[in-house]
Amino acid sequence: MKASKHSPRALLCSVLLSIPLFGQAETVNWTNWLTGQISKHPDVMAATEQAAARNSDAEASEQPLYNPELSVGADRTGSENNFEAGLSQTIDWSDQQGALKDKAKLIRLSAQADLNETILAQTSESLFALVEWRAATRAEEIAESQQHRLDALLDQVEQRQQAGDLGRTDAELLFLSLSQQLSELAQAKAAVDQAQARVRELLPDWQPQDGGIPGHIWPALESRVDNDNLLAHPSIAAARARWQVLRSEAEVARRRAAASPTVGLSGGRDGGENLVGLTFSIPLNVRNNYRAEIQAANRRSLEAEARFQALYRKQQYDLAGARAAWKRYDTQLRRWTELSQGRVQRSADLLEKQWQVGDLSTSEYLQALGQRAESLKTGIELEKLAQLGLIELLSQSGELITLFQY
């Protein structure tokens, strides 16, 4: 089925123009896949149907208010058959339909903004989950590697102990380290299982072999939104649209309070004589002038305006906070990368050689291996925080959807 211009697929998929040419094809394929997955999620499907229902409500608001009325009557007086037929029409004197048409346009804008808000939240959560899963799998790899290294070290210690090169204390220290590592590996694998379940819940067809967010996506993700552009943020646009819809309802209530006259034309026969009649009626808003309804609609409009202003103000601070946090994490990640420069990866073999020749005691060697593992996990954590911070920044700015349009 061809997607409409307002479908989640059309809202999300895109080519990131700032990506180098060699990465565009891969980006299109991945963003198309991500879009398809998000559009399959029940929350997005429900929001899509809700938007369609509200569009139907808007279409209903655009219809004429009053249908003509046909009346027919007949009676018999003596030998004469009498009948009468009439047609009447209520006139929209205050142009309620004009106000309702304006309201219909705003309902459509509100429906689209609410749908965008759901898609933005779903996209953000999905990317968060992919980042968490990738970090968990890398932490699991480090834990497994550390355990394999300790297992191999245990064999060497036992051989050297039999040869009289090492004492029993070294074996006990290694046993304690290995026992602790078993617990860390179990926790790491459990974290992967939990992260994997979360991704599968958000992206129905995702499998672990599909991996996380491709590396070529990250360089193109850059926020250019400032406070002046925040009105386009789905949450802000939705709040603004709700305010405008309620403001239009206040105008509809004001016009509805005005009396709408009804004009009728009738004809027939009575006692053998032809009859032609013209009627005119108008409600007399004496006992109820509908002022309370107008005031209530105005108050609801003012409430929605205040909530919109409060949300807009809050979003400005949320955006500033997200940008500051991302910059902090990104700076620390760059610093860690400069400091490591491959040293952490090469350090394991170097430490083992120093232990073999006796430059390091077993306790020092185990401590150094632990510090190396912690350094690797620190790099993973910093990268995760920087990526999560960037996604949060793009979510707070509202660009997470517009970056994926085509």
Side-chain angles (χ1 to χ4, degrees), residues 6-311:
H6 297 304
S7 68
R9 190 175 189 82
L11 286 167
L12 287 174
C13 291
S14 77
V15 176
L16 301 180
L17 299 180
S18 55
I19 292 180
L21 290 177
F22 67 84
Q24 288 187 0
E26 292 85 352
T27 300
V28 171
N29 291 336
W30 191 79
T31 53
N32 284 343
W33 173 84
L34 178 66
T35 298
Q37 293 299 298
I38 290 175
S39 65
K40 290 180 180 179
H41 194 277
D43 286 343
V44 176
M45 295 174 66
T48 303
E49 294 302 323
Q50 184 183 54
R54 293 178 66 186
N55 286 331
S56 296
D57 290 338
E59 183 179 354
S61 294
E62 294 174 328
Q63 303 305 311
L65 285 178
Y66 307 110
N67 286 312
E69 294 185 9
L70 177 66
S71 61
V72 177
D75 61 60
R76 182 178 179 85
T77 303
S79 60
E80 296 289 338
N81 292 322
N82 306 318
F83 67 90
E84 182 180 7
L87 188 67
S88 62
Q89 174 68 58
T90 301
I91 301 172
D92 182 13
W93 196 261
S94 59
D95 193 22
Q96 295 180 49
Q97 188 178 6
L100 288 170
K101 286 183 177 179
D102 293 338
K103 177 184 173 182
K105 295 176 183 178
L106 296 171
I107 289 175
R108 290 189 175 94
L109 290 175
S110 177
Q112 190 61 48
D114 287 338
L115 176 58
N116 290 352
E117 187 176 15
T118 300
I119 294 172
L120 175 63
Q122 194 68 27
T123 304
S124 179
E125 289 183 19
S126 299
L127 295 179
F128 278 155
L130 287 172
V131 170
E132 293 281 0
W133 173 81
R134 176 59 179 158
T137 56
R138 293 180 63 192
E140 179 190 29
E141 292 170 1
I142 292 175
E144 286 182 337
S145 175
Q146 186 79 343
Q147 180 173 324
H148 292 159
R149 187 171 292 276
L150 291 176
D151 286 334
L153 182 59
L154 181 60
D155 293 337
Q156 296 181 44
V157 168
E158 290 176 346
Q159 294 175 6
R160 293 179 64 178
Q161 187 179 7
Q162 292 176 0
D165 191 20
L166 291 175
R168 183 174 179 80
T169 304
D170 297 281
E172 292 299 325
L173 288 173
L174 182 56
F175 172 76
L176 293 175
S177 297
L178 186 56
S179 300
Q180 181 181 0
Q181 189 59 38
L182 291 173
S183 174
E184 292 184 6
L185 180 58
Q187 294 179 41
K189 288 184 175 295
V192 171
D193 292 338
Q194 292 175 346
Q196 186 171 298
R198 177 59 174 163
V199 176
R200 282 180 168 171
E201 188 273 323
L202 293 168
L203 304 174
D205 298 330
W206 178 87
Q207 296 296 329
Q209 56 267 27
D210 294 326
I213 301 172
H216 57 79
I217 294 292
W218 294 107
L221 299 181
E222 181 180 356
S223 177
R224 302 178 178 86
V225 165
D226 53 26
N227 290 342
D228 295 335
N229 305 118
L230 271 182
L231 288 176
H233 189 284
S235 297
I236 304 301
R240 188 183 189 187
R242 283 191 289 271
W243 162 44
Q244 292 176 331
V245 167
L246 289 174
R247 186 173 62 178
S248 68
E249 287 183 356
E251 177 62 20
V252 171
R254 187 187 67 80
R255 297 189 185 188
R256 186 177 290 129
S260 297
T262 300
V263 178
L265 179 65
S266 62
R269 290 182 64 82
D270 186 7
E273 300 290 335
N274 294 329
L275 295 177
V276 177
L278 179 65
T279 59
F280 176 85
S281 63
I282 185 169
L284 299 178
N285 296 342
V286 177
R287 301 183 65 188
N288 184 2
N289 59 10
Y290 302 100
R291 180 177 299 176
E293 286 85 347
I294 297 173
Q295 289 179 345
N298 285 330
R299 293 294 184 180
R300 281 191 288 268
S301 174
L302 292 173
E303 176 195 1
E305 181 183 9
R307 293 188 183 279
F308 157 67
Q309 295 292 351
L311 183 61

